[in-house]
Amino acid sequence: MLRVLICAGAMALPLSAFAFTASDLNRLCTKTDVASRSACAAYIEGAADGIFNTIDAIGGTTGPRVGQYFCLPPDARSAQLTDAVRKYIADNPNVAGYNASTAISLGLGKAFPCKTGNGS
């Protein structure tokens, strides 16, 4: 039983201490194999959805609101999101240590800012 607890503790420690950074995301996104490119796009899309849903839960996403970082056009493609985030990370090396989802928010905000006055 003690061996099971030690193994479980050893496995949990790296999971709790790990943070996926902007630098990690950029490294993943620069790989050229299909699996890495798909994982990069999926991570960015998933984070964007999560951020959007969080904002929706705390006050809505029908227009620029306090805390809203980006407003994606309805026809935005996965490659556009990935390119925007990678460009932001490349142009702002100081974000390399940020949590990847923070860099995604900032990158999408730079590329897809919310327009004031038109509700999108």
Side-chain angles (χ1 to χ4, degrees):
M1 180 68 174
L2 182 58
R3 191 177 334 175
V4 171
L5 289 175
I6 291 171
C7 287
M11 290 175 60
L13 181 62
L15 294 176
S16 63
F18 179 75
F20 195 64
T21 66
S23 180
D24 297 328
L25 178 62
N26 196 44
R27 259 192 310 280
L28 175 65
C29 294
T30 57
K31 293 182 179 180
T32 58
D33 62 285
V34 174
S36 295
R37 293 178 63 81
S38 295
C40 167
Y43 189 93
I44 291 171
E45 287 181 50
D49 281 346
I51 295 160
F52 182 89
N53 289 331
T54 300
I55 292 166
D56 192 41
I58 62 171
T61 55
T62 58
R65 305 198 186 213
V66 174
Q68 188 166 359
Y69 297 109
F70 56 86
C71 293
L72 298 178
D75 61 345
R77 300 196 183 276
S78 179
Q80 292 172 291
L81 305 184
T82 300
D83 291 346
V85 171
R86 290 189 63 206
K87 179 175 178 5
Y88 185 81
I89 294 170
D91 291 349
N92 298 278
N94 61 312
V95 304
Y98 287 15
N99 183 289
S101 62
T102 301
I104 291 167
S105 293
L106 295 170
L108 295 178
K110 180 77 172 169
F112 304 101
C114 296
K115 311 259 187 290
T116 56
N118 68 0
S120 62

